[in-house]
Amino acid sequence: METKVDRWILPSLSDAVFIALFFRVLFLGSQLFNDPDAGMHIRMGVDMLSSWKVPRVDVYSFTSQGLPYLDHEWLSQAVFGSVYAVGGLTAVVIFSSLIIAVTFALLFHLLCREGRTLWSALGVTLLAIAASSPSLSARPHVFTILLALVFFSIVRSHARDRSPRRLWVLLPLMVLWANLHGGFVMGFIIVGAFCIGAGGVAVVGKREDRTNARAEFRHLAAILIGLLVAAMCNPWGPKLLLFPFRLVGQDYAIDHIQEWRSPDFHEDRVTELLILGIFLIAILSRRLPSMGEILCILAFVHLSLFAVRNVPLLAMISSFALSGGFEDIVTRPIFSRLRPVGIWLSGKSREILAQSERARGHLLPVVVALGVLTSLTIGGGRIGPVFGPYELSPKRYPVEAFAFFEKEQLADRGNLFHAYFYGGYWIFKKGADARVFIDGRQDPYPAQVVKGYFKISGSDPRWREIMDKYRIGVVVFQTNSSLSALLSEDSEWALIYSDPVASIFVKRTPQNADLIAKYPGVRLAAVNP
Amino acid sequence: MPAAGPVPPLARWLMPSIEDVIFLCMLGVVLSQGSGLFGDGDTGWHIRTGEYILQTHSIPRQDFYSYTVSGTPWVAHEWLSEVVLAALHRYGGLMAVGVFTGLVISASIFILLRYMMRLGLNVFSVLVTIVFVSMVTKIHWLARPHIFSFFFTVAATIALERYEKGEIRHLYILAPMMFLWTNLHSGFVIGFALIGVYAIGNIFRALWAASDAIRELGRARATHLLWTGGLSLVASSINPQGPAILLFPLRHVGMTLHINRISEWISPDFHNLFVFEVLVLFILLVLWLGVVRINSFEVSLLLLWAHLSFFSVRFVPLFALTQAPLIARGVDGLAQHVRAALRAGHPLRWIGDRLGRVSHDLCHQSREFDRHLIAIVISAAVLIVGIEGGALGVYAALSIHHDKTAFPVGAVDFMEKNHFEGRLFHTDLYGGYLIYRLYPRVKVAIDGRGEVYGRTGFFEKWLTVFDALPGWENILDEYHVGTVLWPSNKPTTALLRSSPEWALVYSDETASVFVRNDAAHQDLIRRLGRVSYVFPKEKGDGD
């Protein structure tokens, strides 16, 4: 006999997914800092908390110093900064793991609630996790993945039951989203797709559907206007709404920055599986999603093909159609011989889900989260013997080169040029004293700075002119790069430090003669391929 | 309105059908690409290989173009294309090769168009589809053997689809087609994939179909297709490599580094392939809405082509060509759906009705004017103009040659004039051009024959120089390179300019020439004098 206490103690399936994923992400740990911007966001948050001001001009670079800067992620940065202040990088990993685990556990929960079998819900959730994995890191983007799922779920529910009341929840959520991350524009795309879908059905759909579609269209159009107003509730007001357009207009950056490139299907097999899966259900499934859902999925297929950073969003948005579609396909006559297995599996699924439904307390996840936090407090940055300590990996970031840079006070030897993803690391370590050339914030940098960066790093014929224009005195760059090879050959530059990750060059000037003499005969370190 | 009474026999010959008009328009559009048809360096070594075969009446079996992998086994498996290109080149130079390329591409579109018209689709839906498909295929409108794969992929797909509709005679052409295809281009493996899809589909049908009659039909068709596949295997084995050619595609796909770095093998960049993406999304939309119903063969082929085209940009044009009928059906179905939803008298519905009537007339005429004499005569005339060097008497009618902004035309002129000797290092794109210009006097470092350079490990070494990575000079030393010919805007050129061990002796906006700054080259450097580097022009360059 099950008691009320059991219901509180027993974990539901969603709880189990949450706990498993939480530990999985904790185990990955430092990989959450593989994104070069992670350190920059943390430092900006810390600085914001100490000054109690949202930055309005750039203070971290010398190329856009003092220029207006629209920090569209200020709230995320404040959150990451607070978490870091409490428990350092370990706390940031725990916090990010919580958000990621909540996101996928919520997806699983929503799929189960919609009546999917345990197997299809679990399969699609795992597919979404696999497709999202390369993009999951400790940065504001994780909020966009979660909020896109919440938005889509709410709008999709409205398309089914046409209850306008739940749509109003989107407005406060949009206020939050617009202050957390520039991905808030995805909220407009989701609602806009459903709105266009409803408008299309109202005009050319079946006559019996047109009345309902017109009502849905009106609700969604009203919400869209409301969302516009909600998104303006931020430190910059309506200016923020133009930010996504400005960003997409930066062709040069969009074409060169890794996360904005199209997926490489030689490596990214899961994304291909996801897209081909969508094709398969579009062809074979008789369960037709609403017009709005179809348009929404098409929009996110487009966004994912355009930029790999949008793949997690497609994984979330398409999960409902994918799970429903596959369940429908396996009931087709061609699979009739497998029917006994199917019946047994769905019986088992119902049984387990019913058991899971009874568990209402979610006590276990809370206990696990508190346990991890306590462990952090008494473990000095480690969580038990397996997890942590977490750090910005010296295999990826120029940790030793930075120590050398500081030891020799190279900041006094001229402006710094560095690899794109070292910018965030420099800001993390030095804050407003970083004076970087560029970093992951595309917004503050004028187009010519971005272009200049890629020209120098790509050893463009005009690299020397651009270096001179920005009065570059010190270069910190990956050892295994064409720029390092070039500078090691060039008579105007001297190599003074090299390890397998990064090398440091200074310009041959009379002022630097002492430094160059101090480190004679340095050669580029050997790099493992 | 259909023409009243029977069409006079002469009119059937003289009147152009809508297919003829589209074919000629396509030919004009392809030829208007001019030098763009020679945007790939491989054309050069294909032509020279064809000339070798014509002169010696033998197929090359080892590399003789390079000094880096000289003597490595290499069989010119695309020998038949190379002979055709060389024969055309002998009579009409690059112009004839360009015109022939235009004809093959237009012929591929023509048979596709004809097939779609025979499906009874609205002419305007077909035309819209052809426009989009042409825009996608345009990325590979190049004078190379792969244009034969355009043609044969379309032909094999149509043959199998028509067989599936009950026209068994279309199956008979597959084995001879596979013989030709194998000897023309390595894309022949697509033919086996297509036959395989239909054979496997029919085996499934024979095993699991609901009714006895359909199972029996599946058995019969699976047998036909397996026989056809077997005969095609035998036919494909008739080539200079024998049955070993059948393993060539697998060997090629196994060369991971090569596949990951060569531009035609990488995944499509959707920032620049907007039309392809539109087609993908459109197919998804019409399938989801149920505007088009497709059979299991079409499902398999769609997924196969989607996978291939996502994997590698070289399959993108083939995706567009093979999915064209589905796209046209989608356009047609969507238009009909919208028309049905509009009230009678709505202006859009009126326009749709009128276009429907015009389409009906055009289809009718196309069936009547089925001799295509006008298209044949004009094609022959264009080919003759091509063979005559693009001239009509004293008037220059066509102009097709290597583009000076893509190939080192000026640099090679300079090197020829100054009798450069010794080992030359260069990009893979330049390799084919250098073979075209300088073979047999100069041997190359690399060219587009990826299977030769990838297999020997040279490709990896070459990449170190191409990427301008540390250790680049060791590679040049290892191969005793005396001269480097490199694009002026690439990182390696910046390295060579900075290095005291190399002297710049020629530079234009496209390419620069460096010679080793050692005792052996001092005479040459003194004679030529050091020159200033010419900065390449760049559009919108603010720095």
Side-chain angles (χ1 to χ4, degrees), chain A residues 373-389:
Chain A
L373 283 170
T374 313
S375 182
L376 159 72
T377 319
I378 58 176
R382 288 186 68 89
I383 311 166
V386 182
F387 305 107

PDB file of all heavy atoms in Angstrom, chain A residues 373-389:
ATOM      1  N   LEU A 373      25.330  20.933  -3.447  1.00  0.00           N
ATOM      2  CA  LEU A 373      25.738  22.254  -2.959  1.00  0.00           C
ATOM      3  C   LEU A 373      26.501  22.135  -1.631  1.00  0.00           C
ATOM      4  O   LEU A 373      27.516  22.795  -1.420  1.00  0.00           O
ATOM      5  CB  LEU A 373      24.516  23.151  -2.775  1.00  0.00           C
ATOM      6  CG  LEU A 373      23.938  23.730  -4.066  1.00  0.00           C
ATOM      7  CD1 LEU A 373      22.602  24.405  -3.797  1.00  0.00           C
ATOM      8  CD2 LEU A 373      24.910  24.737  -4.671  1.00  0.00           C
ATOM      9  N   THR A 374      25.987  21.258  -0.729  1.00  0.00           N
ATOM     10  CA  THR A 374      26.653  21.071   0.561  1.00  0.00           C
ATOM     11  C   THR A 374      28.055  20.504   0.344  1.00  0.00           C
ATOM     12  O   THR A 374      29.031  20.941   0.951  1.00  0.00           O
ATOM     13  CB  THR A 374      25.830  20.089   1.433  1.00  0.00           C
ATOM     14  OG1 THR A 374      24.486  20.497   1.377  1.00  0.00           O
ATOM     15  CG2 THR A 374      26.332  20.077   2.864  1.00  0.00           C
ATOM     16  N   SER A 375      28.107  19.525  -0.546  1.00  0.00           N
ATOM     17  CA  SER A 375      29.383  18.889  -0.847  1.00  0.00           C
ATOM     18  C   SER A 375      30.391  19.920  -1.344  1.00  0.00           C
ATOM     19  O   SER A 375      31.566  19.880  -1.007  1.00  0.00           O
ATOM     20  CB  SER A 375      29.142  17.808  -1.888  1.00  0.00           C
ATOM     21  OG  SER A 375      30.320  17.155  -2.172  1.00  0.00           O
ATOM     22  N   LEU A 376      29.861  20.868  -2.148  1.00  0.00           N
ATOM     23  CA  LEU A 376      30.720  21.938  -2.663  1.00  0.00           C
ATOM     24  C   LEU A 376      31.272  22.783  -1.512  1.00  0.00           C
ATOM     25  O   LEU A 376      32.450  23.116  -1.473  1.00  0.00           O
ATOM     26  CB  LEU A 376      29.901  22.808  -3.628  1.00  0.00           C
ATOM     27  CG  LEU A 376      30.409  24.209  -3.892  1.00  0.00           C
ATOM     28  CD1 LEU A 376      31.660  24.153  -4.746  1.00  0.00           C
ATOM     29  CD2 LEU A 376      29.338  25.043  -4.567  1.00  0.00           C
ATOM     30  N   THR A 377      30.375  23.088  -0.555  1.00  0.00           N
ATOM     31  CA  THR A 377      30.770  23.971   0.546  1.00  0.00           C
ATOM     32  C   THR A 377      31.884  23.338   1.383  1.00  0.00           C
ATOM     33  O   THR A 377      32.857  23.997   1.746  1.00  0.00           O
ATOM     34  CB  THR A 377      29.543  24.245   1.454  1.00  0.00           C
ATOM     35  OG1 THR A 377      28.422  24.446   0.615  1.00  0.00           O
ATOM     36  CG2 THR A 377      29.762  25.441   2.336  1.00  0.00           C
ATOM     37  N   ILE A 378      31.717  22.042   1.647  1.00  0.00           N
ATOM     38  CA  ILE A 378      32.724  21.425   2.523  1.00  0.00           C
ATOM     39  C   ILE A 378      33.871  20.812   1.719  1.00  0.00           C
ATOM     40  O   ILE A 378      34.896  20.482   2.282  1.00  0.00           O
ATOM     41  CB  ILE A 378      32.083  20.351   3.436  1.00  0.00           C
ATOM     42  CG1 ILE A 378      31.390  19.273   2.593  1.00  0.00           C
ATOM     43  CG2 ILE A 378      31.126  20.966   4.432  1.00  0.00           C
ATOM     44  CD1 ILE A 378      30.830  18.138   3.421  1.00  0.00           C
ATOM     45  N   GLY A 379      33.696  20.732   0.416  1.00  0.00           N
ATOM     46  CA  GLY A 379      34.721  20.055  -0.389  1.00  0.00           C
ATOM     47  C   GLY A 379      35.725  20.982  -1.033  1.00  0.00           C
ATOM     48  O   GLY A 379      36.613  20.519  -1.755  1.00  0.00           O
ATOM     49  N   GLY A 380      35.579  22.286  -0.804  1.00  0.00           N
ATOM     50  CA  GLY A 380      36.550  23.228  -1.357  1.00  0.00           C
ATOM     51  C   GLY A 380      36.631  23.188  -2.868  1.00  0.00           C
ATOM     52  O   GLY A 380      37.719  23.089  -3.435  1.00  0.00           O
ATOM     53  N   GLY A 381      35.491  23.256  -3.528  1.00  0.00           N
ATOM     54  CA  GLY A 381      35.491  23.293  -5.000  1.00  0.00           C
ATOM     55  C   GLY A 381      35.338  21.925  -5.632  1.00  0.00           C
ATOM     56  O   GLY A 381      35.044  21.807  -6.799  1.00  0.00           O
ATOM     57  N   ARG A 382      35.508  20.884  -4.858  1.00  0.00           N
ATOM     58  CA  ARG A 382      35.291  19.537  -5.382  1.00  0.00           C
ATOM     59  C   ARG A 382      33.936  19.063  -4.908  1.00  0.00           C
ATOM     60  O   ARG A 382      33.459  19.446  -3.845  1.00  0.00           O
ATOM     61  CB  ARG A 382      36.358  18.579  -4.866  1.00  0.00           C
ATOM     62  CG  ARG A 382      37.725  18.785  -5.465  1.00  0.00           C
ATOM     63  CD  ARG A 382      38.643  17.679  -4.992  1.00  0.00           C
ATOM     64  NE  ARG A 382      38.267  16.391  -5.537  1.00  0.00           N
ATOM     65  CZ  ARG A 382      38.719  15.929  -6.702  1.00  0.00           C
ATOM     66  NH1 ARG A 382      39.552  16.648  -7.407  1.00  0.00           N
ATOM     67  NH2 ARG A 382      38.336  14.753  -7.150  1.00  0.00           N
ATOM     68  N   ILE A 383      33.306  18.203  -5.713  1.00  0.00           N
ATOM     69  CA  ILE A 383      32.043  17.623  -5.272  1.00  0.00           C
ATOM     70  C   ILE A 383      32.290  16.124  -5.199  1.00  0.00           C
ATOM     71  O   ILE A 383      32.234  15.425  -6.213  1.00  0.00           O
ATOM     72  CB  ILE A 383      30.901  17.925  -6.254  1.00  0.00           C
ATOM     73  CG1 ILE A 383      30.886  19.419  -6.581  1.00  0.00           C
ATOM     74  CG2 ILE A 383      29.571  17.502  -5.697  1.00  0.00           C
ATOM     75  CD1 ILE A 383      30.036  19.752  -7.757  1.00  0.00           C
ATOM     76  N   GLY A 384      32.571  15.670  -4.015  1.00  0.00           N
ATOM     77  CA  GLY A 384      32.880  14.251  -3.846  1.00  0.00           C
ATOM     78  C   GLY A 384      34.185  13.916  -4.551  1.00  0.00           C
ATOM     79  O   GLY A 384      34.905  14.803  -5.024  1.00  0.00           O
ATOM     80  N   PRO A 385      34.471  12.640  -4.645  1.00  0.00           N
ATOM     81  CA  PRO A 385      35.751  12.247  -5.239  1.00  0.00           C
ATOM     82  C   PRO A 385      35.745  12.278  -6.766  1.00  0.00           C
ATOM     83  O   PRO A 385      36.803  12.224  -7.386  1.00  0.00           O
ATOM     84  CB  PRO A 385      35.924  10.808  -4.740  1.00  0.00           C
ATOM     85  CG  PRO A 385      34.539  10.315  -4.469  1.00  0.00           C
ATOM     86  CD  PRO A 385      33.698  11.494  -4.134  1.00  0.00           C
ATOM     87  N   VAL A 386      34.553  12.352  -7.373  1.00  0.00           N
ATOM     88  CA  VAL A 386      34.463  12.207  -8.832  1.00  0.00           C
ATOM     89  C   VAL A 386      34.431  13.555  -9.549  1.00  0.00           C
ATOM     90  O   VAL A 386      35.066  13.731 -10.591  1.00  0.00           O
ATOM     91  CB  VAL A 386      33.193  11.391  -9.203  1.00  0.00           C
ATOM     92  CG1 VAL A 386      33.108  11.179 -10.713  1.00  0.00           C
ATOM     93  CG2 VAL A 386      33.180  10.057  -8.482  1.00  0.00           C
ATOM     94  N   PHE A 387      33.691  14.495  -9.008  1.00  0.00           N
ATOM     95  CA  PHE A 387      33.418  15.739  -9.736  1.00  0.00           C
ATOM     96  C   PHE A 387      34.315  16.892  -9.266  1.00  0.00           C
ATOM     97  O   PHE A 387      34.500  17.078  -8.069  1.00  0.00           O
ATOM     98  CB  PHE A 387      31.948  16.135  -9.553  1.00  0.00           C
ATOM     99  CG  PHE A 387      30.993  15.052  -9.949  1.00  0.00           C
ATOM    100  CD1 PHE A 387      30.294  14.341  -8.997  1.00  0.00           C
ATOM    101  CD2 PHE A 387      30.808  14.721 -11.286  1.00  0.00           C
ATOM    102  CE1 PHE A 387      29.416  13.329  -9.355  1.00  0.00           C
ATOM    103  CE2 PHE A 387      29.932  13.713 -11.649  1.00  0.00           C
ATOM    104  CZ  PHE A 387      29.232  13.011 -10.681  1.00  0.00           C
ATOM    105  N   GLY A 388      34.808  17.649 -10.226  1.00  0.00           N
ATOM    106  CA  GLY A 388      35.584  18.838  -9.924  1.00  0.00           C
ATOM    107  C   GLY A 388      37.016  18.515  -9.542  1.00  0.00           C
ATOM    108  O   GLY A 388      37.398  17.342  -9.524  1.00  0.00           O
ATOM    109  N   PRO A 389      37.872  19.487  -9.230  1.00  0.00           N
ATOM    110  CA  PRO A 389      37.536  20.903  -9.354  1.00  0.00           C
ATOM    111  C   PRO A 389      37.448  21.302 -10.836  1.00  0.00           C
ATOM    112  O   PRO A 389      38.066  20.664 -11.686  1.00  0.00           O
ATOM    113  CB  PRO A 389      38.711  21.593  -8.664  1.00  0.00           C
ATOM    114  CG  PRO A 389      39.854  20.645  -8.836  1.00  0.00           C
ATOM    115  CD  PRO A 389      39.264  19.273  -8.854  1.00  0.00           C
TER     116      PRO A 389
END
